[in-house]
Amino acid sequence: MAAAAATAPGALGILQVGRARLVAACCARLGPGWRLSGSWTVPRVDPATWARGWTPAAGGAAWRRGYSSEVKTEDELRVRYLEEENRGIVVLGINRAYAKNSLSTNLIKMLSKAVDALKSDKKVRTIIVRSEVPGIFCAGADLKERVKMNSSEVGPFVSKIRAVINEIANLPVPTIAAIDGLALGGGLELALACDIRVAASSAKMGLVETKLAIIPGGGGTQRLPRAIGMSLAKELIFSARVLDGQAAKAVGLISHVLEQNQEGDAAYRKALDLAREFLPQGPVAMRVAKLAINQGMETIPTKDRLEGLLAFKEKRTPRYKGE
């Protein structure tokens, strides 16, 4: 960088050289693992700290989240396998600060890839879906990207969002949505696909698509009625009403509501507590329990069941063998 700047003419070249030297000096002083990229710094942190999604602020013990206003596409979804006493918990962290965590084509692709890997991983016990952007969970579909699509691309785009949300709903292990901020449209549909939802009292959530003369396209018209009842779900969708955490808890949309803390991660901390509570339970029992709750036990494939049906047909006493 310094060599390239040296070829620049006049004062501009001098300034660029000076900037390059200043950056190098700062990095050297901060120590190994630090780098300056644009206007933000990223430290190397230990796994226990990173498991909570926090990075230390330069020059002190205070803590802040390390976010960039321009995140690389590969960083828009962060998949973290927690360790030690949290082993078995996986955190899916959405990280599109510049777009309010809206669901883009790239983010949907990354979510699908992550979910595909998680559903076959027997070591995964519970999955938490959260945001790594303060004040935002997910603002729904990326409408700025969508408006640039031609009419033939819109349908497949919406179908992909619906498919990924369905994939999350069909994960075999418990899933928890930690709503620490805004969850609108597809963002709330993403949360509805999770088994359990917890939110900060300051969070805002709603299916607001009717304001745009469209309807929820990611399963919200089915999952919201199942969560809070058909009549109230219709009222909320028809009105495009936005609820805060307390109101969402009152109607049964979320299971727990917390006062937001200074760090802005109250819902995530509660989700982590719940996930830890699930860890000691039998993993196969947890998967079967989720399947039973979601789909119901339609049939019991045993010889005794067949004998009972046959005995009923032949009008005789069944001869059960305990099989």
Side-chain angles (χ1 to χ4, degrees):
M1 178 177 176
T7 64
L12 178 59
I14 295 172
L15 287 173
Q16 290 179 326
V17 171
R19 180 179 183 273
R21 291 173 177 170
L22 178 61
V23 168
C26 288
C27 289
R29 187 171 182 179
L30 288 169
W34 287 83
R35 63 184 175 85
L36 294 179
S37 175
S39 61
W40 68 309
T41 59
V42 180
R44 186 176 297 163
V45 295
D46 62 273
T49 301
W50 181 242
R52 291 186 54 210
W54 302 95
T55 56
W63 293 87
R64 64 169 173 82
R65 275 187 171 161
Y67 298 113
S68 167
S69 59
E70 296 181 0
V71 180
K72 294 180 180 179
T73 55
E74 62 266 25
D75 292 330
E76 291 183 349
L77 181 69
R78 294 174 176 173
V79 182
R80 300 200 299 276
Y81 290 73
L82 305 192
E83 297 294 337
E84 298 175 356
E85 72 274 12
N86 297 321
R87 186 180 299 274
I89 301 172
V90 178
V91 179
L92 297 180
I94 306 175
N95 187 43
R96 295 192 75 219
Y98 64 96
K100 297 184 178 179
N101 282 354
S102 57
L103 300 172
S104 65
T105 301
N106 180 67
L107 180 57
I108 287 297
K109 185 185 300 183
M110 295 181 70
L111 276 168
S112 180
K113 184 178 180 180
V115 170
D116 190 56
L118 290 171
K119 68 184 179 184
S120 58
D121 190 340
K122 300 299 183 182
K123 295 180 181 179
V124 176
R125 305 288 298 277
T126 300
I127 297 167
I128 298 174
V129 181
R130 69 170 297 194
S131 166
E132 300 200 1
V133 179
I136 298 289
F137 177 74
C138 174
D142 190 334
L143 297 182
K144 290 184 179 179
E145 180 183 74
R146 181 170 169 174
V147 78
K148 297 176 183 178
M149 298 177 180
N150 59 49
S151 57
S152 64
E153 295 175 313
V154 173
F157 174 66
V158 175
S159 295
K160 287 178 183 177
I161 292 177
R162 185 186 304 116
V164 169
I165 290 176
N166 286 338
E167 289 172 12
I168 291 172
N170 292 326
L171 279 165
V173 298
T175 53
I176 308 171
I179 308 172
D180 273 309
L182 198 68
L184 300 179
L188 181 54
E189 290 178 304
L190 175 62
L192 282 166
C194 295
D195 300 314
I196 300 166
R197 289 166 296 283
V198 298
S201 57
S202 58
K204 306 291 183 184
M205 59 202 86
L207 297 180
V208 298
E209 285 86 348
T210 52
K211 284 187 175 181
L212 303 175
I214 57 177
I215 68 171
T221 52
Q222 289 78 50
R223 293 191 178 95
L224 185 62
R226 292 171 191 164
I228 66 174
M230 183 178 294
S231 179
L232 186 53
K234 287 179 178 178
E235 180 181 329
L236 295 182
I237 292 173
F238 294 166
S239 65
R241 189 179 305 158
V242 175
L243 306 178
D244 62 18
Q246 295 290 351
K249 175 65 168 63
V251 301
L253 179 54
I254 61 175
S255 301
H256 302 275
V257 60
L258 301 310
E259 289 297 322
Q260 188 57 280
N261 56 30
Q262 186 176 359
E263 294 82 0
D265 69 343
Y268 171 65
R269 294 191 187 194
K270 179 62 178 180
L272 195 56
D273 287 342
L274 290 172
R276 289 175 181 141
E277 194 174 346
F278 300 161
L279 285 179
Q281 319 314 326
V284 175
M286 295 289 281
R287 290 170 180 255
V288 173
K290 177 169 178 173
L291 183 64
I293 294 168
N294 284 357
Q295 299 182 3
M297 298 294 286
E298 295 182 4
T299 61
I300 306 173
T302 65
K303 292 181 180 179
D304 280 351
R305 181 185 68 86
L306 298 176
E307 166 60 18
L309 293 174
L310 183 60
F312 177 79
K313 180 180 179 180
E314 296 175 351
K315 298 181 180 179
R316 62 174 173 81
T317 301
R319 296 183 289 273
Y320 294 129
K321 298 180 180 180
E323 298 177 346

